[in-house]
Amino acid sequence: MSEVTERYAPGVPAWVDLSAQDREAAQRFYGELFGWDFEVGPPEVGYYTQCTVRGLPVGGIYQTPSGEDGPPVAWTTYLATDDVDATVAQAREAGGQVLMGPMDVLEEGRIALLADPTGAVVGLWQARQHIGARVVNEPVSPCWSELATRDAARAREFYRALFDYELHDMSGFDYTTLRVAGRDVAGVWGATDVLPPDVPAHWAVYFAVPDADEVAATVTKLGGRVLREPVDSPYGRFATVQDPQGAVFGVLRLPE
């Protein structure tokens, strides 16, 4: 088990959530796919729903307005910070755009939403009562977040200005891991030749699963799509899939 009991260090992905046009339909899909349970919040937070494993939160789901003016259906990664207001100020200076906040979420924490200079949306989370995901790196919990962008150099510059990451370049292709205290916590992928013209830069969320092939097949049975068939990598067997409302995410069987 990989339970988290302390606040995440600055720069480490602390939370993920899904903006859905139909929150209850999203609960049914992910409940069947991952076996998650759900805790629906009060009206003052728009019935924000926490996805739980063994009663511990691993992510969230909230409903967005439908139509062209509403935000896209997508999973969002939130990076931990000890001072969200200061990090937002740094983001502005480094060329980012503030999309929302900073604002308090009851007594749980303080939040902001940014667009980095390459166009990818990322969240910030300053923990108070809610530290973030309490289960990670085990089946049906978050295990990795990576930025796919057409300008990896600019992205690395931006995120390092926010969190002073250590950078580790991988050989063979344009991929850099972001390190905190010597540990890889996220990735930046220069995906210029891979991203379709109509797909913007974005942060991708991966969930650990016991069997990537089985989960990909289940996605299809539940009305979703497999965008990239399961394939082996040095970091485990993974696939890219899309839920019935259009949110894209990865599933990864971690090496034993």
Side-chain angles (χ1 to χ4, degrees):
M1 296 187 297
S2 302
E3 295 186 7
V4 180
T5 58
E6 299 179 349
R7 290 186 179 186
Y8 287 84
V12 177
W15 189 245
V16 297
D17 67 14
L18 170 68
S19 57
Q21 293 186 352
D22 186 332
R23 176 178 54 80
E24 293 182 349
Q27 288 176 222
R28 289 192 295 271
F29 173 81
Y30 288 98
E32 290 193 50
L33 184 68
F34 290 146
W36 286 342
D37 295 314
F38 302 96
E39 297 178 2
V40 181
E44 53 264 40
V45 292
Y47 303 102
Y48 189 94
T49 297
Q50 294 195 84
C51 315
T52 67
V53 173
R54 301 191 302 276
L56 300 173
V58 296
I61 300 174
Y62 66 97
Q63 187 150 328
T64 63
S66 59
E68 295 182 358
D69 294 334
V73 173
W75 281 96
T76 299
T77 293
Y78 293 79
L79 305 175
T81 175
D82 290 337
D83 187 336
V84 70
D85 295 78
T87 304
V88 163
Q90 291 172 317
R92 284 195 177 102
E93 292 180 4
Q97 178 184 358
V98 181
L99 304 178
M100 182 190 75
M103 60 182 287
D104 292 327
V105 181
L106 303 179
E107 300 300 319
E108 304 301 307
R110 192 160 171 80
I111 193 172
L113 204 62
L114 308 173
D116 71 27
T118 76
V121 175
V122 66
L124 301 173
W125 182 249
Q126 179 183 339
R128 289 174 181 161
Q129 293 185 3
H130 195 301
I131 63 173
R134 293 286 307 281
V135 181
V136 296
N137 300 327
E138 67 173 68
V140 302
S141 72
C143 64
W144 189 247
S145 288
E146 70 183 15
L147 169 64
T149 177
R150 295 176 179 84
D151 192 345
R154 183 70 181 92
R156 289 190 293 265
E157 177 185 6
F158 173 78
Y159 288 101
R160 198 168 189 216
L162 269 57
F163 296 111
D164 195 26
Y165 289 116
E166 306 163 47
L167 304 180
H168 175 69
D169 294 331
M170 300 180 64
S171 61
F173 68 117
D174 190 0
Y175 197 99
T176 300
T177 57
L178 308 178
R179 291 181 171 179
V180 173
R183 181 173 69 91
D184 292 333
V185 299
V188 176
W189 175 27
T192 303
D193 298 329
V194 178
L195 286 178
D198 60 337
V199 176
H202 61 278
W203 277 86
V205 176
Y206 288 80
F207 297 97
V209 294
D211 188 322
D213 295 78
E214 182 178 329
V215 171
T218 303
V219 166
T220 301
K221 292 178 183 177
L222 296 175
R225 299 172 56 202
V226 177
L227 303 181
R228 182 174 186 177
E229 295 290 341
V231 62
D232 290 323
S233 80
Y235 308 99
R237 188 165 176 82
F238 74 97
T240 304
V241 298
Q242 186 177 48
D243 73 21
Q245 297 185 54
V248 175
F249 59 101
V251 294
L252 172 65
R253 184 184 186 278
L254 295 171
E256 295 181 359

